[in-house]
Amino acid sequence: MDVDAALRRMRELPVDPRLAGIEGGVFDGIADARGKPLGGRLVGLAASLALLIGLLGSTIPGYADPAPSAAPFGTPSALAPSTLLGTVE
């Protein structure tokens, strides 16, 4: 089947009459969704949960040992660009 020919035939078909009033239904749905703000209890619960997660995250200790080197062939050279750019004197 030729896709271009099929699309041309679809373009020439009449539009479904149910689509004529679809904008009103969509805009009514958007207005209904905007009209319902979140309750104070839900906002308070979300803020308390965020505070608890932040406090727990700050009390958990990090790694004490440094990460192993990611150099594929041993210790990186002292003149490698990555080491030269990282030194600040």
Side-chain angles (χ1 to χ4, degrees), residues 15-78:
V15 177
D16 191 340
R18 293 176 293 176
L19 293 175
I22 198 169
E23 291 98 2
V26 170
F27 288 133
D28 289 342
I30 292 172
D32 288 344
R34 282 189 187 169
K36 299 176 186 173
L38 295 176
R41 287 185 182 178
L42 185 61
V43 172
L45 178 67
S48 300
L49 184 64
L51 181 64
L52 179 67
I53 291 172
L55 288 173
L56 288 176
S58 67
T59 59
I60 296 174
Y63 292 108
D65 298 332
S69 174
F73 302 113
T75 307
S77 171

